[in-house]
Amino acid sequence: MPALPTLLVLDADPPPRLGRLTGRVRIVHADETTIAEQLPYADVLLVWDFASHAVRAAWPGEGARPRWVHTASAGVDHLMCPELAASDTVVTNARGIFDQPIAEYVAALVLAMAKDLPRTLHLQERREWRHRESQRVAGTKACVVGSGPIGRAIAKYLKALGVTTAIVGRTPRTGIHGPDDLSRLMARADWVISAAPLTSDTHHMFDTRRFGVMQPSARFVNVGRGQLVDETALAEALSKRWIAGAALDVFEHEPLTSDSPLWEVPGLIVSPHMSGDTVGWRDELGAQFIELYERWETGQTLPNVVDKQRGYVPGH
């Protein structure tokens, strides 16, 4: 009887529910201290702890290594390294799980900022009655940066609110603008939404120059990766009122420490990397991996395969 394949799980709490795979695979659990010694013996690696950089640090160069790596996240920058990118190991991600929840979250932020809800709640805590006028969302313009499923879902939800939306991607094509159009579109937008993957080309793409082209009435939202934004430049843009407001759900260093100056930046909404995390999201991630494993087990083509040179799943 042939030996069972080995599935190595880089754990996080709570662990994934993999009961459907009982008897079909040998499951081994690892943490950041043990993953390096276990990687060469695994056929498949499930990166359940998608906040960890342990895979990038531990990935073996020459010799045995997993044939397939799946990360329970949309981004893959936390695990990608030159050795993994150059190997024949297949990498997949959790594409499809977070699209709708993140789009809902962005729509909520747009409405909250347009209707001045943060200040309403602040005034309520102070028991202060202060009438204001709010902004109409319908008829405004948005620039969504990131043409993957999350970016397209955001555009769909904003269009439902009456927002005219332009999407910017890595490569221009029908319905998608290229990077050369970004500054021009940002200059016209009332809302700039960052939902791009993190690559060498997108690191700190939102900097002093980019915030400088935005309208003083415009607002910025980042639900992509924290390293897309130069946080010092954003803080300056808000403090000097170059832009009217911003919301960050992701940060260069997480969790955000209690002494971070970002907590005090005027007009900035801070949330703890939760835009895609709705009730039951971990079970959805586990079920998705099991479906992918069953395809891999029977030799079928895997969906959600990451282009390891680009750092994301190419669009169709």
Side-chain angles (χ1 to χ4, degrees):
M1 182 176 180
L4 294 176
T6 297
L7 166 61
L8 179 62
V9 181
L10 179 58
D11 272 331
D13 190 36
R17 297 180 180 180
L18 302 175
R20 266 173 54 187
L21 300 181
T22 300
R24 298 157 58 185
V25 61
R26 174 176 172 263
I27 300 177
V28 178
H29 297 272
D31 59 23
E32 294 191 349
T33 65
T34 61
I35 187 171
E37 62 190 61
Q38 293 172 312
L39 267 173
Y41 305 100
D43 297 289
V44 178
L45 171 64
L46 168 58
V47 185
W48 190 249
D49 185 357
F50 50 80
S52 171
H53 292 81
V55 175
R56 191 164 60 188
W59 190 260
E62 298 296 326
R65 52 186 172 265
R67 290 177 281 160
W68 167 37
V69 174
H70 177 77
T71 179
S73 61
V76 299
D77 51 278
H78 59 291
L79 60 87
M80 200 59 64
C81 60
E83 293 81 9
L84 174 54
S87 73
D88 57 359
T89 296
V90 175
V91 176
T92 57
N93 71 353
R95 182 182 174 107
I97 298 294
F98 301 108
D99 309 354
Q100 182 177 352
I102 292 178
E104 291 176 350
Y105 200 86
V106 169
L109 287 171
V110 167
L111 289 169
M113 288 189 281
K115 303 308 177 184
D116 203 20
L117 290 183
R119 194 178 343 178
T120 295
L121 296 174
H122 175 68
L123 292 172
Q124 180 179 349
E125 289 180 354
R126 296 171 52 180
R127 303 191 178 200
E128 183 175 341
W129 181 280
R130 188 186 304 176
H131 180 269
R132 290 109 59 215
E133 294 178 344
S134 65
Q135 180 183 0
R136 188 191 298 268
V137 172
T140 59
K141 297 178 181 179
C143 172
V144 177
V145 185
S147 59
I150 292 174
R152 295 197 303 271
I154 291 169
K156 176 182 176 181
Y157 274 64
L158 293 181
K159 288 177 182 177
L161 295 175
V163 180
T164 301
T165 306
I167 303 176
V168 177
R170 181 177 184 269
T171 305
R173 54 193 185 276
T174 303
I176 306 294
H177 294 267
D180 291 345
D181 292 334
L182 178 56
S183 292
R184 176 178 61 84
L185 292 170
M186 286 181 65
R188 298 177 180 179
D190 300 288
W191 313 97
V192 176
I193 315 297
S194 165
L198 177 61
T199 68
S200 58
D201 293 330
T202 61
H203 183 268
H204 279 194
M205 67 184 299
F206 298 103
D207 55 12
T208 298
R209 179 175 63 89
R210 286 269 163 70
F211 291 126
V213 304
M214 292 176 64
Q215 303 179 71
S217 59
R219 296 177 176 92
F220 175 81
V221 176
N222 186 21
V223 290
R225 306 298 286 175
Q227 293 85 350
L228 298 174
V229 177
D230 181 336
E231 294 172 349
T232 301
L234 175 60
E236 180 183 26
L238 288 166
S239 298
K240 293 183 177 179
R241 298 184 179 180
W242 294 348
I243 61 175
L248 298 180
D249 185 58
V250 288
F251 300 86
E252 289 209 64
H253 303 287
E254 297 182 6
L256 199 63
T257 59
S258 60
D259 61 350
S260 170
L262 291 175
W263 294 107
E264 305 294 333
V265 174
L268 178 62
I269 297 174
V270 171
S271 59
H273 204 149
M274 59 181 283
S275 61
D277 301 347
T278 52
V279 175
W281 65 284
R282 289 184 178 88
D283 289 339
E284 291 183 44
L285 288 172
Q288 181 189 52
F289 173 74
I290 290 173
E291 291 177 7
L292 291 177
Y293 184 86
E294 290 174 341
R295 293 179 65 93
W296 180 83
E297 183 181 43
T298 55
Q300 299 180 61
T301 301
L302 289 174
N304 295 8
V305 174
V306 173
D307 182 320
K308 293 184 292 182
Q309 303 304 319
R310 296 183 182 181
Y312 54 88
V313 179
H316 300 290

